[in-house]
Amino acid sequence: MKSILWFALGVAAGFVAAHQLNQTKQGREFFSSIDAKARAFGKAIAEGYHERDAELRAQGDSATAS
């Protein structure tokens, strides 16, 4: 139970710190940079998934046609 309390306090402190940091120009730039990188990463993951899905579907279609 004690560890859950410490975890919750850590999360709350992180949110407070992030909120305070976001009030500054450098903080907003930092979070914008992180957001852009996370979006690019997510887009790369989605593109890779769709490419692999298309490959597997093509293999499945050729296997059933044979």
Side-chain angles (χ1 to χ4, degrees), residues 6-56:
W6 282 111
F7 177 74
L9 286 173
V11 170
F15 277 113
V16 169
H19 180 70
Q20 292 296 321
L21 184 61
N22 198 34
Q23 299 296 321
T24 65
K25 181 181 177 189
Q26 293 88 0
R28 283 189 299 276
E29 290 173 357
F30 171 75
F31 285 121
S32 293
S33 164
I34 295 295
D35 183 53
K37 290 175 185 176
R39 288 181 189 274
F41 179 73
K43 185 177 179 183
I45 294 293
E47 288 175 356
Y49 171 82
H50 292 298
E51 287 177 11
R52 183 64 177 149
D53 184 51
E55 290 172 5
L56 293 173

